[in-house]
Amino acid sequence: MSETRKLTAILVSDVVGYSRLAGADEDRILARLRTLRSDLIDPTIAVHHGRIVKRTGDGSVIEFRSVVDAVRCAIELQNAMIERNAGVPPERRIEFRVGIHVGDVVEESDGDLMGDGVNVAARLESIAKPGAICLSEQAYWQVKGRLDVAVTDLGPTELKNIAQPIHVYSLQVGVPAQAKPAEPVTPAAPAPQKRRFGLAPLAALLAALLIVVAGGAWWFLNANRPASVATKTPAEAARLSIVVLPFANLSGDPAQDYLVDALTDGLTTSLARSPENFVIARNTAMTFKGKRVDAKAIGKDLSVRYVLEGSVQPSGDRMRVNAQLIDAGSGAHLWADQFDTPRADLLQTQDAIVARLANTLNFQLIYAEGARVNRTPAANRDAEDLALQCSAGMWKAGPIGKEADAAFALCEQALAIDPNNVRALTALGNKFWFPAALGLSSDPKGDFERADELESKALALDPNDTWAHSLKGWILLAHGRNEEAVAEFERALTLDASFADADVGLGFDYMRLGEFDKSFEYFDKAIRASPHDPWLAHFYGGKAFANFGLKNYDQSIEWARRAIAINPNIANMHLNLVAALALTDHDAEAREALQRYLALPSTGPLKTIAACKAYLESQHWLPREVGERTYDGLRKAGMPEGEAKTN
């Protein structure tokens, strides 16, 4: 067997207390680890030129070209884990410890590494505290002076099975370095700072956008990247805000709108996948479709700094896409370009647009091998076309009604051609889930099962489908499987940080768990991300329910009325309003609100306390104590008791 010796930087990591975590819930911890590897760990390793030598169950051995790359990678990952663990109970947190050493290793023909270099790194990892990074003296001296984190000198340390003590330094990630008095230095000429059209904020925005667009492309700033391994501050990250307006359809054929919408959706999702960006959700962006817009007014309305807009002109089997980036503060056009592409490659066009954005501003892309998401053609173009039309029709008509049924028929046609079309499977799940969730289904159990089958199949085919994860979360929520629902909504938000539907799902999830204060966080986040969402009434409704749970009845009444003003046909919201009015002794208003509720077409069979109780409890809508207060309020307002049906 051939082998070679070389000097290299080795990083070894593992999960703190993995056996305890796995013992508590092995399936959940394995699922979370897989998600971390695919969404965070592997891409971060790739961008820092790392090579995964081998995985050791819950840990990894990774080789880097330099210690600087290894330390940058480790700090970035540990900082990311601090953010991801925020709000997670200590006993459920995934925390890593890391050891880094530079030394001589033997590389075998299969790529495996052996020798003291690996052994020392592994021993350093074993003594690191949770969330910390231990460096050998050899490694530390190569990054000394470049660190923006606190460093503790542990001194010469005995390591298991290592003959001589190793001088060890511990990096405390999340703790800034202490300021030191300046030492006299020989004056040096300052390095010239390049200024590119005064677009520094835009440059930061685009760099962050590139993390996931173009199929997992990653970025480094060419001339202005600081030597420090520190990450961006929250204040800087907050500036990276953008809305992707609906692209205009220049074909003159409204039937081609679904193609244009697909490109707009793809761009929104791609840009939102970076946790550093704030991207206005698709639902709010679509409210500007077909309207004359003023970028400055939109920027002020949505509180974003940049607007991306464009047009699509289909012609036969070709498409011409125009895109332009606008500074919402000044209205200035920062960039514009034109793309001619085969119609079949529409979804790939989004990658080219964002890549060209960066190239225009002189950024150098480093494509992470293995992290690139290879877009593959749909198995059947006709099926994909039908599925796109189905999704567009559902968004336009909503999930219930004759127009919705016509849209869903297109999904069924798509699946008849290609049973594995993920877009059609995901969209069709709404046909069954919505009526069951709203108490309008004649067979709620069967409809929930059908919806679950569709979303489960979609996720088996594409584990990274945002909509499928969110819908799966709603289905689990309806069955009272709250912890599992949380995982699905969180996964959806990992894939698309601006996905308001998942934020609302988490809001209702925590509300049902009785954590009302926490639910506000997610409802507010959804309202911020999509302030003109077609489902905004449900966002407001969530806040009304949560306030009711906290016995803040006046606020509950206010939010319920705001929701009803947007959509007067939400039966649940009327129930909340009636109960809150009655419990605050607004008896006449409560009786009037009850009559309006009973007259609604959406009330269906829910006209007695017994029927409402059976529905709300079957859907696990409210904690039991909150439910009982609701029924007391309905009773006080004059709703008849009725009789519970027996099955």
Side-chain angles (χ1 to χ4, degrees):
M1 178 181 290
S2 63
E3 57 183 39
T4 57
R5 283 191 171 275
K6 62 181 180 179
L7 190 69
T8 193
I10 299 295
L11 183 154
V12 176
S13 70
D14 82 342
V15 176
V16 179
Y18 175 75
S19 297
R20 172 184 55 80
L21 291 168
D25 191 343
E26 185 175 30
D27 290 341
R28 184 182 179 88
I29 192 66
L30 287 174
R32 291 173 66 193
L33 276 175
R34 291 190 194 101
T35 299
L36 283 171
R37 284 174 176 169
S38 64
D39 293 353
L40 173 65
I41 297 172
D42 290 356
T44 305
I45 291 169
V47 76
H48 292 289
H49 313 290
R51 178 179 74 89
I52 299 174
V53 177
K54 58 187 171 186
R55 299 202 191 274
T56 56
D58 59 311
S60 302
V61 176
I62 307 157
E63 176 188 16
F64 289 88
R65 300 177 188 177
S66 73
V67 176
V68 173
D69 282 340
V71 174
R72 281 177 172 165
C73 179
I75 291 178
E76 187 171 328
L77 288 172
Q78 295 288 44
N79 271 318
M81 291 309 301
I82 290 173
E83 294 176 4
R84 292 191 177 215
N85 282 324
V88 178
E91 68 275 8
R92 289 178 51 195
R93 291 176 185 169
I94 292 180
E95 295 179 298
F96 292 97
R97 53 188 169 208
V98 176
I100 298 175
H101 177 60
V102 59
D104 188 67
V105 299
V106 175
E107 182 175 14
E108 300 186 338
S109 59
D110 62 356
D112 197 7
L113 299 181
M114 310 288 287
D116 283 346
V118 178
N119 296 338
V120 171
R123 297 309 178 196
L124 289 169
E125 171 269 311
S126 68
I127 66 169
K129 293 181 179 180
I133 305 163
C134 277
L135 275 65
S136 66
E137 185 174 31
Q138 297 94 317
Y140 175 70
W141 280 96
Q142 295 196 34
V143 295
K144 181 182 179 182
R146 302 188 182 195
L147 299 170
D148 283 350
V149 297
V151 179
T152 302
D153 185 347
L154 301 181
T157 305
E158 296 280 352
L159 300 177
K160 184 178 179 181
N161 295 332
I162 303 298
Q164 299 295 324
I166 300 292
H167 200 125
V168 179
Y169 295 83
S170 176
L171 308 187
Q172 298 168 265
V173 179
V175 179
Q178 296 296 315
K180 297 179 180 179
E183 298 178 2
V185 294
T186 303
Q193 295 295 313
K194 293 186 178 181
R195 297 183 62 85
R196 299 192 175 276
F197 314 106
L199 299 181
L202 175 62
L205 167 67
L206 297 173
L209 301 186
L210 289 168
I211 291 177
V212 293
V213 234
W218 289 74
W219 63 275
F220 276 114
L221 179 59
N222 188 21
N224 298 327
R225 184 171 179 82
S228 166
V229 292
T231 56
K232 288 184 177 67
T233 66
E236 289 173 324
R239 292 157 57 189
L240 309 181
S241 52
I242 189 169
V243 59
V244 181
L245 293 179
F247 276 39
N249 174 12
L250 302 183
S251 70
D253 180 6
Q256 303 298 314
D257 277 356
Y258 70 95
L259 285 172
V260 181
D261 292 348
L263 175 59
T264 308
D265 287 350
L267 280 166
T268 299
T269 299
S270 291
L271 301 184
R273 281 179 177 163
S274 168
E276 298 178 351
N277 304 336
F278 178 79
V279 184
I280 292 296
R282 179 255 193 215
N283 290 1
T284 282
M286 290 301 289
T287 63
F288 295 97
K289 184 173 181 178
K291 299 177 182 177
R292 293 181 63 86
V293 296
D294 176 81
K296 294 173 71 173
I298 288 177
K300 185 176 181 180
D301 180 26
L302 301 179
S303 298
V304 295
R305 294 192 174 223
Y306 303 99
V307 174
L308 184 65
E309 64 177 14
S311 62
V312 179
Q313 186 167 10
S315 178
D317 61 354
R318 303 286 300 177
M319 301 187 71
R320 170 162 291 179
V321 179
N322 295 288
Q324 54 187 352
L325 187 70
I326 302 171
D327 183 328
S330 65
H333 286 64
L334 304 175
W335 167 89
D337 213 333
Q338 179 175 286
F339 307 85
D340 289 305
T341 178
R343 177 173 171 145
D345 292 338
L346 172 65
L347 298 182
Q348 282 88 332
T349 303
Q350 64 178 297
D351 300 339
I353 292 173
V354 182
R356 193 80 61 87
L357 275 167
N359 291 335
T360 303
L361 296 171
N362 197 31
F363 276 88
Q364 179 184 5
L365 294 182
I366 298 177
Y367 290 92
E369 193 65 32
R372 175 185 289 275
V373 179
N374 293 313
R375 297 188 186 277
T376 56
N380 187 297
R381 287 292 176 190
D382 291 335
E384 183 69 2
D385 200 74
L386 287 165
L388 285 168
Q389 293 183 60
C390 167
S391 297
M394 182 194 70
W395 275 110
K396 180 181 179 182
I400 296 175
K402 291 182 179 179
E403 290 184 44
D405 290 341
F408 290 132
L410 296 172
C411 274
E412 290 166 342
Q413 291 176 41
L415 292 174
I417 298 170
D418 177 8
N420 293 328
N421 187 285
V422 173
R423 191 186 302 273
L425 289 165
T426 302
L428 192 58
N430 288 281
K431 175 181 179 179
F432 302 96
W433 174 77
F434 250 94
L438 296 178
L440 302 177
S441 169
S442 59
D443 181 17
K445 184 176 183 231
D447 281 348
F448 274 130
E449 288 176 354
R450 179 64 177 137
D452 193 27
E453 288 172 5
L454 290 164
E455 302 312 319
S456 296
K457 184 175 181 180
L459 288 171
L461 293 165
D462 183 1
N464 293 323
D465 189 278
T466 307
W467 263 112
H469 277 291
S470 188
L471 283 170
K472 181 77 172 179
W474 284 105
I475 293 166
L476 291 167
L477 201 57
H479 286 85
R481 295 159 63 181
N482 298 306
E483 293 293 337
E484 294 171 79
V486 166
E488 292 295 339
F489 291 131
E490 288 179 344
R491 175 60 178 152
L493 288 169
T494 298
L495 293 166
D496 182 349
S498 74
F499 199 67
D501 183 81
D503 279 316
V504 174
L506 284 170
F508 278 108
D509 210 328
Y510 284 112
M511 186 188 74
R512 295 181 189 190
L513 291 168
E515 298 182 44
F516 302 109
D517 287 324
K518 192 168 185 178
S519 72
F520 285 130
E521 172 188 340
Y522 291 100
F523 291 131
D524 288 339
K525 184 170 177 281
I527 293 167
R528 170 73 179 95
S530 192
H532 302 307
D533 201 288
W535 297 94
L536 186 63
H538 295 273
F539 303 1
Y540 289 174
K543 296 197 70 169
F545 278 119
N547 274 299
F548 190 97
L550 290 171
K551 299 183 181 180
N552 298 331
Y553 296 125
D554 289 341
Q555 291 93 323
S556 181
I557 291 168
E558 178 186 347
W559 283 104
R561 283 176 167 159
R562 291 177 69 176
I564 291 169
I566 298 172
N567 184 348
N569 294 314
I570 306 177
N572 288 347
M573 210 70 277
H574 286 271
L575 287 175
N576 184 91
L577 178 61
V578 171
L581 286 168
L583 293 176
T584 51
D585 296 324
H586 293 83
D587 297 334
E589 290 180 77
R591 287 191 293 271
E592 291 174 6
L594 176 62
Q595 293 308 310
R596 287 194 296 272
Y597 164 76
L598 294 173
L600 288 174
S602 57
T603 299
L606 307 180
K607 300 184 187 305
T608 65
I609 291 173
C612 290
K613 184 175 182 179
Y615 162 64
L616 292 173
E617 292 184 357
S618 71
Q619 299 287 313
H620 308 277
W621 270 108
L622 301 168
R624 182 172 296 276
E625 182 274 331
V626 179
E628 291 302 326
R629 278 192 279 125
T630 301
Y631 312 139
D632 287 344
L634 296 176
R635 188 176 292 113
K636 186 178 179 185
M639 178 177 277
E641 288 288 343
E643 295 181 3
K645 292 184 179 180
T646 57
N647 294 324

